[in-house]
Amino acid sequence: MTTQPIPSATDDLIAEIELDFQSARKLGREAYIDMQDGEALIARIRELDQADRWRDIDEEMPEEDVRVLVWCDDGADAWPDTASHHNSFFTDEYHELLPVTHWKPVTPP
């Protein structure tokens, strides 16, 4: 089963900043210096976004027995949950099997 990626709001933000950079390149040296700072910012945003991006279970699995956020889809409904995986199965806190399509690390509060 091929699943669709879960979009990230960060993608739109990065695209908007990159358009601003294209304009800045046309404005000259001062804008270019500001643009370089912005490029470093984009690199950091991408790094943070990648750490928090939903991962397709067909491409990558979390470590076993580590609690992660999961996206479940049984064909009729889709919902977020938390689960851990063991032997390629994801289970919730009640040890019920979940139809997981994507996962991402739990970010600390």
Side-chain angles (χ1 to χ4, degrees):
M1 171 174 86
T2 302
T3 58
Q4 295 296 320
I6 297 173
S8 167
T10 309
D11 294 336
D12 293 336
L13 173 64
I14 290 173
E16 188 176 320
I17 293 171
E18 285 177 334
L19 283 175
D20 289 344
F21 289 166
Q22 290 172 7
S23 298
R25 282 188 183 99
K26 296 175 185 175
L27 295 176
R29 179 173 168 69
E30 185 176 312
Y32 182 75
I33 291 169
D34 291 341
M35 184 185 69
Q36 288 176 318
D37 291 339
E39 286 175 343
L41 175 62
I42 282 182
R44 181 65 177 143
I45 290 170
R46 282 191 172 132
E47 179 184 322
L48 293 171
D49 183 57
Q50 189 60 37
D52 194 46
R53 189 171 288 264
W54 288 100
R55 293 149 170 89
D56 189 321
I57 64 166
D58 292 332
E59 297 172 9
E60 181 182 357
M61 292 291 274
E63 292 182 38
E64 289 204 3
D65 301 320
V66 173
R67 202 127 198 85
V68 293
L69 295 175
V70 293
W71 187 257
C72 303
D73 188 343
D74 65 5
D77 293 309
W79 66 96
D81 208 334
T82 57
S84 57
H85 113 280
H86 187 75
N87 292 333
S88 299
F89 295 102
F90 285 87
T91 56
D92 64 13
E93 62 186 293
Y94 306 106
H95 304 289
E96 294 179 23
L97 291 176
L98 296 173
V100 173
T101 61
H102 295 79
W103 70 275
K104 68 179 184 174
V106 174
T107 52

